[in-house]
Amino acid sequence: MNKILATAGVVLLLVGLGLGFRSVSSGGVDCGSAFSPAGGITPMACDGKLNNSVTLVTIVIAAGVLALVAGLVLKLVRDRRVTA
């Protein structure tokens, strides 16, 4: 179970990073990405698109971290029970 959680955590982290570098556009204007917004003045519509992108990236990365932590905790608990 812990290997499955760890693998899922790593996959979610990689997906979050990929989503963070994905370019977002609004009305044909490139708004940049969650990690690197476009420089200069961008349309107001970019604010909402970038905000949604950042929220999605944050949720996916947080889920990945939680899955990794859960896998580590399960491994530690299982190792402790075996030695006790």
Side-chain angles (χ1 to χ4, degrees):
M1 182 68 165
N2 59 340
K3 289 181 183 180
I4 294 171
L5 282 172
T7 304
V10 170
V11 168
L12 284 170
L13 285 174
L14 292 175
V15 168
L17 288 173
L19 287 173
F21 288 111
R22 184 180 56 119
S23 184
V24 178
S25 63
S26 177
V29 177
D30 182 29
C31 300
S33 68
F35 293 147
S36 178
I41 299 173
T42 56
M44 292 290 288
C46 284
D47 294 342
K49 295 274 188 175
L50 286 173
N51 188 26
N52 290 343
S53 178
V54 169
T55 302
L56 178 64
V57 168
T58 303
I59 289 170
V60 171
I61 289 177
V65 169
L66 287 175
L68 281 172
V69 168
L72 179 63
V73 167
L74 283 176
K75 181 180 179 356
L76 292 175
V77 168
R78 183 176 296 158
D79 288 348
R80 185 174 223 172
R81 284 187 180 173
V82 169
T83 60

